[in-house]
Amino acid sequence: MQATAIAHPNVALIKYWGKRDRDTNLPAVGSLSLTLSGLETRTTIWLDKDSTEDQLVLNGQPDSSATARARLCLDLLRERAGIEAGASVESTNNFPTAAGLASSASGFAALVKAGAAALGIDADADALAGVARIGSGSAPRSLYDGIVVLENRESDTATGSVHCATISAPDNWPLAVMVVITSSAAKEIGSTEGMELSRKTSPYYQAWLDTHQADLDAALGAVREQDFDALAELSERSCLKMHAVAMTSQTPLFYWSAATVACMQRVWELRRSGVPVFFTIDAGPQVKAVCLPEVATQVKAELARVQGVQDVIECGLGQGAWVES
Ligand code: DP6
C-alpha cells in the first residue's frame, strides 16, 4: 500500500497547445517530445483504507489544485483495482516547479506509476498513459523512453486509449539538451488556462490546428532519418507557432524574457556557424537547446555567457517513469 516512482520531465519539439475538450483533457493536437535525464520528480504514495481523503504535498507544501487533479487520476486507478483508500502523496522536484520545465508532466507520470504500484495493478506505460493524460496532457510522454510521439486520433475518448510510444530509444540517436534557466519564478498563467485562452481568443488558433499534423509527420520522418537539420527547423517552427498563438491571445501570453530572446539569437548564430543546435521554449522563459552530444560542452558554455542566464543544466535522453524497488 505504499510505493515510490520517479519520472523525468519531457520537452516537446512539436508542441501540444490546445485541448479538444477541457473536461476530458483531450489534446487538440499530437506532439513529439524528448524525455530528459538529469531532472526528476520523485513521488511517494501511502494508501490508507480507513480514509477517503487524498492529499498532495508538492515540494513540502500542500497543493490543493494539484490534489484535485491527482484525485481524478487516483479515482481511475482505485476503480481498476477495486480498492477504496485515501492517498497521501508526497512529491518533490529537483528543478524549478511550474516555470515552464514540464513539472506537471513528470509529476503526473510519477503519480500514476506510484499509484498503480501501491494499488497492485498493471503499471506499464501503455496501461497508464490514459490515466496520466487526465492529470496533464503532456504527462503520458514522460512514461516513455527517449524520443516519444503522442498521437491525436479522432477516436481517442475521455478515459480510452492513448496512442503514445517511443520512436527512438535514448541510445539509438543520443541528443543532448541544455536547459537554460533565465528565471525560477512560477509563471503567472499556467498552460491549462493559457491554452484555453488561446483556443477562445487567438485569431491564429485555427491555423495552428490546420498546419500542425504536417509538422508532426515531417518531424517523425526527420527522427527516422536522424536528420538533425530538418528536426531543428521543424522544432523551432512549431515552438514559434505555439508562441505566436499564445502572444495573440487576449490577454496576451508572453512567456519570454529578454534573456530568452538573447538565447534564441545565440542559438541561431551558433547554427549559422555550423554548430548542430536548435532551441525550443515551453510556457515559461527557460530555453531548451537541443544539440548533438559532441557540441554539448561548447553549447553549454556559450549559453551560460548570455546576459540574464542564471544556470544551464545539461540533460540527455532518459528513460520513462519507473517504480523504485
Ligand atoms: C507548452 O501538459 O502542462 O509545455 O494538459 O493542461 O496539464 P495540461 O497542459 P500541459 O501543457 C504543456 C504545454 C507545453 C507544450 C508541450 O509540452 O507539448
Coordinates of all heavy atoms in Angstrom, one line a residue, residues 96-169:
P96 N 13.2 23.8 -10.8 CA 12.1 24.8 -10.5 C 10.8 24.3 -11.0 O 10.6 23.8 -12.1 CB 12.5 26.0 -11.3 CG 14.0 25.9 -11.5 CD 14.3 24.4 -11.6
T97 N 9.8 24.4 -10.1 CA 8.4 23.9 -10.4 C 7.6 25.0 -11.1 O 7.8 26.2 -10.8 CB 7.7 23.5 -9.1 OG1 8.5 22.5 -8.4 CG2 6.3 23.1 -9.2
A98 N 6.8 24.6 -12.1 CA 5.8 25.5 -12.7 C 6.5 26.7 -13.4 O 5.9 27.8 -13.4 CB 4.7 26.0 -11.7
A99 N 7.7 26.5 -13.9 CA 8.4 27.6 -14.5 C 8.7 27.2 -16.0 O 9.7 27.7 -16.6 CB 9.7 28.0 -13.8
G100 N 7.8 26.4 -16.6 CA 8.0 26.1 -18.0 C 9.0 24.9 -18.1 O 9.7 24.8 -19.1
L101 N 9.1 24.1 -17.1 CA 10.0 23.0 -17.2 C 9.2 21.6 -17.1 O 9.8 20.6 -16.7 CB 11.1 23.0 -16.1 CG 12.1 24.0 -16.2 CD1 13.1 24.0 -15.1 CD2 12.9 23.9 -17.5
A102 N 8.0 21.7 -17.5 CA 7.2 20.5 -17.6 C 7.1 19.7 -16.3 O 7.1 18.5 -16.3 CB 7.7 19.6 -18.7
S103 N 7.0 20.4 -15.2 CA 6.9 19.7 -13.9 C 5.6 19.0 -13.8 O 5.5 17.9 -13.1 CB 7.0 20.7 -12.8 OG 6.1 21.7 -12.9
S104 N 4.5 19.4 -14.5 CA 3.2 18.7 -14.4 C 3.4 17.3 -15.2 O 2.8 16.3 -14.7 CB 2.1 19.5 -15.0 OG 2.2 19.7 -16.3
A105 N 4.2 17.3 -16.2 CA 4.3 16.0 -17.0 C 5.0 15.0 -16.1 O 4.5 13.9 -15.9 CB 5.1 16.3 -18.2
S106 N 6.2 15.3 -15.5 CA 6.9 14.4 -14.7 C 6.0 14.1 -13.4 O 6.0 13.0 -12.9 CB 8.3 14.8 -14.3 OG 8.2 16.1 -13.8
G107 N 5.4 15.1 -12.9 CA 4.5 14.9 -11.7 C 3.4 13.9 -11.9 O 3.3 13.0 -11.1
F108 N 2.7 14.0 -13.0 CA 1.6 13.1 -13.1 C 2.1 11.7 -13.6 O 1.4 10.7 -13.3 CB 0.5 13.7 -14.0 CG -0.3 14.7 -13.3 CD1 -0.1 16.0 -13.4 CD2 -1.3 14.2 -12.4 CE1 -0.8 16.9 -12.7 CE2 -2.1 15.1 -11.7 CZ -1.8 16.5 -11.8
A109 N 3.2 11.7 -14.3 CA 3.7 10.4 -14.7 C 4.2 9.6 -13.5 O 3.9 8.4 -13.3 CB 4.9 10.5 -15.7
A110 N 4.9 10.3 -12.6 CA 5.3 9.6 -11.3 C 4.1 9.3 -10.5 O 4.1 8.2 -9.9 CB 6.3 10.6 -10.6
L111 N 3.1 10.1 -10.4 CA 1.9 9.9 -9.6 C 1.2 8.6 -10.1 O 0.9 7.7 -9.2 CB 0.9 11.0 -9.7 CG -0.4 10.8 -9.0 CD1 -0.3 11.3 -7.5 CD2 -1.6 11.4 -9.7
V112 N 0.9 8.4 -11.4 CA 0.2 7.2 -11.8 C 1.0 6.0 -11.6 O 0.5 4.9 -11.3 CB -0.4 7.4 -13.2 CG1 -1.4 8.6 -13.3 CG2 0.7 7.5 -14.3
K113 N 2.3 6.1 -11.9 CA 3.2 5.0 -11.7 C 3.2 4.5 -10.3 O 3.1 3.3 -10.0 CB 4.6 5.4 -12.2 CG 5.5 4.4 -12.6 CD 5.2 3.9 -14.0 CE 6.2 2.8 -14.3 NZ 5.8 2.0 -15.4
A114 N 3.4 5.5 -9.3 CA 3.4 5.1 -7.9 C 2.1 4.6 -7.5 O 2.0 3.6 -6.7 CB 3.9 6.3 -7.1
G115 N 1.0 5.3 -7.9 CA -0.4 4.9 -7.5 C -0.7 3.5 -7.9 O -1.2 2.7 -7.2
A116 N -0.4 3.2 -9.2 CA -0.7 1.8 -9.7 C 0.1 0.8 -8.9 O -0.4 -0.3 -8.5 CB -0.3 1.7 -11.2
A117 N 1.4 1.1 -8.6 CA 2.2 0.1 -7.9 C 1.6 -0.1 -6.4 O 1.6 -1.2 -6.0 CB 3.7 0.6 -7.8
A118 N 1.2 1.0 -5.8 CA 0.7 0.9 -4.4 C -0.6 0.1 -4.4 O -0.9 -0.6 -3.5 CB 0.5 2.3 -3.9
L119 N -1.4 0.2 -5.5 CA -2.6 -0.5 -5.6 C -2.5 -1.9 -6.1 O -3.5 -2.6 -6.2 CB -3.6 0.3 -6.5 CG -4.2 1.6 -5.8 CD1 -4.7 2.5 -6.9 CD2 -5.3 1.3 -4.8
G120 N -1.3 -2.2 -6.6 CA -1.0 -3.6 -7.1 C -1.6 -3.9 -8.4 O -2.0 -5.0 -8.7
I121 N -1.7 -2.8 -9.3 CA -2.3 -3.1 -10.6 C -1.2 -2.9 -11.7 O -0.1 -2.3 -11.5 CB -3.5 -2.2 -10.9 CG1 -3.2 -0.8 -10.7 CG2 -4.7 -2.7 -10.0 CD1 -4.3 0.1 -11.1
D122 N -1.6 -3.3 -12.9 CA -0.6 -3.3 -14.1 C -0.1 -1.8 -14.2 O -0.9 -0.9 -14.4 CB -1.4 -3.7 -15.3 CG -0.5 -3.7 -16.6 OD1 0.8 -3.5 -16.4 OD2 -1.0 -3.9 -17.7
A123 N 1.2 -1.7 -14.1 CA 1.8 -0.4 -14.1 C 2.7 -0.1 -15.3 O 3.6 0.7 -15.3 CB 2.6 -0.2 -12.8
D124 N 2.4 -0.8 -16.5 CA 3.3 -0.5 -17.6 C 2.7 0.8 -18.3 O 1.6 1.2 -18.0 CB 3.5 -1.7 -18.5 CG 2.3 -1.9 -19.5 OD1 1.4 -1.1 -19.5 OD2 2.4 -3.0 -20.2
A125 N 3.6 1.4 -19.1 CA 3.3 2.7 -19.6 C 2.0 2.7 -20.4 O 1.2 3.6 -20.3 CB 4.5 3.1 -20.5
D126 N 1.8 1.7 -21.3 CA 0.6 1.7 -22.1 C -0.7 1.6 -21.2 O -1.7 2.2 -21.6 CB 0.6 0.5 -23.1 CG 1.6 0.7 -24.2 OD1 2.1 1.8 -24.4 OD2 2.0 -0.3 -24.8
A127 N -0.6 0.9 -20.1 CA -1.7 0.8 -19.2 C -2.0 2.1 -18.5 O -3.2 2.3 -18.1 CB -1.5 -0.3 -18.2
L128 N -1.0 2.9 -18.4 CA -1.2 4.1 -17.5 C -1.3 5.4 -18.3 O -1.6 6.5 -17.7 CB 0.0 4.2 -16.5 CG 0.1 3.1 -15.5 CD1 1.3 3.3 -14.6 CD2 -1.2 3.0 -14.7
A129 N -1.0 5.4 -19.6 CA -0.9 6.6 -20.4 C -2.2 7.4 -20.3 O -2.3 8.6 -20.2 CB -0.5 6.3 -21.8
G130 N -3.4 6.6 -20.5 CA -4.7 7.3 -20.5 C -5.0 7.9 -19.1 O -5.7 9.0 -19.1
V131 N -4.5 7.3 -18.1 CA -4.8 7.9 -16.7 C -3.9 9.1 -16.5 O -4.4 10.2 -16.0 CB -4.5 6.8 -15.6 CG1 -4.8 7.4 -14.2 CG2 -5.2 5.5 -15.9
A132 N -2.6 9.1 -16.9 CA -1.7 10.2 -16.8 C -2.3 11.4 -17.6 O -2.2 12.6 -17.1 CB -0.3 9.8 -17.3
R133 N -2.9 11.1 -18.7 CA -3.4 12.2 -19.6 C -4.5 13.0 -18.9 O -4.6 14.2 -19.1 CB -3.8 11.7 -20.9 CG -3.9 12.8 -22.0 CD -5.1 12.6 -22.9 NE -6.4 12.6 -22.2 CZ -7.3 11.8 -22.5 NH1 -7.2 10.9 -23.4 NH2 -8.5 11.8 -21.8
I134 N -5.3 12.4 -18.1 CA -6.3 13.1 -17.3 C -5.7 14.1 -16.4 O -6.2 15.2 -16.2 CB -7.1 12.1 -16.4 CG1 -7.7 11.0 -17.3 CG2 -8.2 12.8 -15.6 CD1 -8.8 11.4 -18.3
G135 N -4.5 13.8 -15.9 CA -3.8 14.8 -15.0 C -3.2 15.9 -15.8 O -3.3 17.1 -15.4
S136 N -2.5 15.6 -16.8 CA -1.8 16.6 -17.7 C -1.6 16.0 -19.1 O -1.2 14.9 -19.2 CB -0.5 16.9 -17.0 OG 0.1 18.0 -17.7
G137 N -1.9 16.8 -20.1 CA -1.9 16.4 -21.4 C -0.5 15.9 -21.9 O -0.3 15.1 -22.8
S138 N 0.5 16.5 -21.3 CA 1.9 16.1 -21.6 C 2.5 15.0 -20.8 O 3.6 14.5 -21.1 CB 2.8 17.3 -21.5 OG 2.7 17.9 -20.2
A139 N 1.7 14.5 -19.8 CA 2.2 13.5 -18.8 C 2.5 12.1 -19.5 O 3.4 11.5 -19.1 CB 1.4 13.4 -17.6
P140 N 1.6 11.7 -20.4 CA 1.8 10.3 -20.9 C 3.2 10.2 -21.5 O 3.9 9.2 -21.4 CB 0.8 10.2 -22.0 CG -0.3 11.1 -21.6 CD 0.3 12.2 -20.9
R141 N 3.8 11.3 -22.1 CA 5.1 11.2 -22.7 C 6.2 10.9 -21.8 O 7.2 10.3 -22.2 CB 5.3 12.6 -23.5 CG 4.3 12.9 -24.5 CD 4.6 14.2 -25.3 NE 5.0 15.3 -24.5 CZ 4.6 16.5 -24.6 NH1 3.6 16.9 -25.5 NH2 5.1 17.5 -23.8
S142 N 6.0 11.3 -20.5 CA 7.1 11.0 -19.5 C 7.1 9.6 -19.0 O 7.9 9.2 -18.2 CB 7.0 12.0 -18.3 OG 7.6 13.2 -18.6
L143 N 6.1 8.8 -19.5 CA 6.1 7.4 -19.2 C 7.0 6.6 -20.1 O 7.2 5.4 -19.9 CB 4.7 6.8 -19.2 CG 3.7 7.4 -18.2 CD1 2.2 7.0 -18.6 CD2 4.0 6.8 -16.8
Y144 N 7.5 7.2 -21.2 CA 8.2 6.5 -22.2 C 9.6 7.0 -22.3 O 9.9 8.2 -22.1 CB 7.5 6.7 -23.6 CG 6.1 6.0 -23.6 CD1 5.0 6.7 -23.1 CD2 6.0 4.7 -24.0 CE1 3.8 6.1 -23.0 CE2 4.7 4.1 -24.0 CZ 3.6 4.8 -23.5 OH 2.4 4.2 -23.5
D145 N 10.5 6.2 -22.9 CA 11.9 6.5 -23.0 C 12.2 7.3 -24.3 O 11.6 7.1 -25.3 CB 12.8 5.2 -23.2 CG 12.6 4.1 -22.2 OD1 12.1 4.5 -21.1 OD2 12.9 3.0 -22.5
G146 N 13.2 8.2 -24.2 CA 13.8 8.7 -25.4 C 13.0 9.7 -26.1 O 12.4 10.7 -25.6
I147 N 12.8 9.5 -27.4 CA 12.0 10.4 -28.3 C 10.7 9.7 -28.4 O 10.5 8.5 -28.8 CB 12.7 10.6 -29.7 CG1 14.2 11.0 -29.5 CG2 11.9 11.6 -30.5 CD1 14.9 11.3 -30.8
V148 N 9.6 10.5 -28.1 CA 8.3 10.0 -27.9 C 7.3 10.7 -28.8 O 7.3 11.9 -28.9 CB 7.9 10.1 -26.4 CG1 6.5 9.6 -26.1 CG2 8.9 9.3 -25.5
V149 N 6.4 9.9 -29.3 CA 5.2 10.6 -30.0 C 3.9 10.3 -29.3 O 3.7 9.2 -28.7 CB 5.1 10.0 -31.5 CG1 4.7 8.6 -31.5 CG2 4.1 10.9 -32.3
L150 N 3.1 11.3 -29.2 CA 1.8 11.2 -28.6 C 0.8 11.6 -29.7 O 0.8 12.8 -30.1 CB 1.6 12.1 -27.4 CG 0.3 12.2 -26.7 CD1 -0.3 10.8 -26.3 CD2 0.3 13.1 -25.5
E151 N 0.1 10.6 -30.2 CA -0.8 10.9 -31.4 C -2.1 11.5 -31.0 O -2.5 11.4 -29.8 CB -1.1 9.6 -32.1 CG 0.1 9.0 -32.8 CD -0.3 7.7 -33.5 OE1 -1.4 7.6 -34.0 OE2 0.5 6.8 -33.5
N152 N -2.7 12.2 -31.9 CA -4.0 12.7 -31.7 C -4.9 12.0 -32.6 O -4.9 12.2 -33.8 CB -4.0 14.3 -32.0 CG -5.4 14.8 -31.9 OD1 -6.2 14.5 -31.0 ND2 -5.7 15.7 -32.9
R153 N -5.8 11.1 -32.1 CA -6.7 10.4 -33.0 C -8.1 10.8 -32.7 O -8.5 10.9 -31.5 CB -6.5 8.9 -32.8 CG -5.2 8.4 -33.3 CD -5.2 6.9 -33.5 NE -3.9 6.4 -33.7 CZ -3.6 5.1 -33.7 NH1 -4.5 4.2 -33.3 NH2 -2.3 4.7 -33.9
E154 N -8.9 11.0 -33.7 CA -10.3 11.3 -33.5 C -11.0 10.3 -32.6 O -11.9 10.7 -31.8 CB -11.0 11.3 -34.9 CG -10.9 12.6 -35.7 CD -11.3 13.9 -34.9 OE1 -12.3 13.8 -34.2 OE2 -10.5 14.8 -35.0
S155 N -10.6 9.1 -32.6 CA -11.2 8.0 -31.9 C -10.9 8.1 -30.4 O -11.5 7.3 -29.6 CB -10.9 6.7 -32.4 OG -9.5 6.5 -32.5
D156 N -9.9 8.9 -30.0 CA -9.5 8.9 -28.6 C -10.7 9.5 -27.8 O -11.3 10.4 -28.1 CB -8.3 9.9 -28.4 CG -7.0 9.3 -28.9 OD1 -7.0 8.1 -29.1 OD2 -6.0 10.1 -29.1
T157 N -10.9 8.8 -26.6 CA -12.0 9.2 -25.8 C -11.5 9.6 -24.4 O -10.4 9.4 -24.1 CB -13.1 8.1 -25.7 OG1 -12.4 7.0 -25.1 CG2 -13.7 7.8 -27.0
A158 N -12.5 10.1 -23.6 CA -12.1 10.6 -22.3 C -11.2 9.7 -21.5 O -10.1 10.2 -21.1 CB -13.4 10.8 -21.5
T159 N -11.5 8.5 -21.3 CA -10.7 7.6 -20.5 C -10.1 6.5 -21.3 O -9.5 5.5 -20.8 CB -11.5 7.0 -19.3 OG1 -12.6 6.4 -19.8 CG2 -11.8 8.1 -18.3
G160 N -10.3 6.6 -22.6 CA -10.0 5.5 -23.5 C -8.5 5.5 -23.8 O -7.7 6.1 -23.2
S161 N -8.2 4.8 -24.9 CA -6.8 4.5 -25.2 C -6.1 5.8 -25.6 O -6.7 6.7 -26.1 CB -6.7 3.5 -26.4 OG -7.4 4.1 -27.5
V162 N -4.8 5.9 -25.3 CA -3.9 7.0 -25.7 C -2.8 6.4 -26.5 O -2.3 5.3 -26.2 CB -3.4 7.7 -24.4 CG1 -2.2 8.6 -24.8 CG2 -4.4 8.4 -23.7
H163 N -2.5 7.0 -27.7 CA -1.5 6.4 -28.5 C -0.2 7.1 -28.3 O 0.0 8.2 -28.9 CB -2.0 6.4 -30.0 CG -3.3 5.7 -30.2 ND1 -4.5 6.3 -30.0 CD2 -3.5 4.4 -30.4 CE1 -5.4 5.3 -30.2 NE2 -4.8 4.2 -30.4
C164 N 0.6 6.5 -27.5 CA 1.9 7.2 -27.1 C 2.9 6.1 -27.2 O 2.7 4.9 -26.8 CB 1.8 7.7 -25.7 SG 3.1 8.9 -25.2
A165 N 4.1 6.4 -27.7 CA 5.1 5.4 -27.9 C 6.5 6.0 -28.1 O 6.6 7.1 -28.6 CB 4.8 4.6 -29.2
T166 N 7.5 5.2 -27.7 CA 8.9 5.6 -28.0 C 9.2 5.4 -29.5 O 8.9 4.3 -30.0 CB 9.9 4.7 -27.2 OG1 9.7 5.0 -25.8 CG2 11.3 5.0 -27.6
I167 N 9.7 6.4 -30.2 CA 10.0 6.2 -31.6 C 11.5 6.0 -31.8 O 12.0 5.6 -32.8 CB 9.5 7.2 -32.6 CG1 9.9 8.6 -32.1 CG2 8.0 7.1 -32.7 CD1 9.7 9.6 -33.3
S168 N 12.3 6.5 -30.8 CA 13.8 6.3 -30.8 C 14.3 6.2 -29.4 O 14.1 7.1 -28.6 CB 14.4 7.5 -31.6 OG 15.8 7.4 -31.7
A169 N 14.9 5.1 -29.1 CA 15.4 4.8 -27.7 C 16.6 5.8 -27.5 O 17.2 6.2 -28.4 CB 15.8 3.4 -27.6

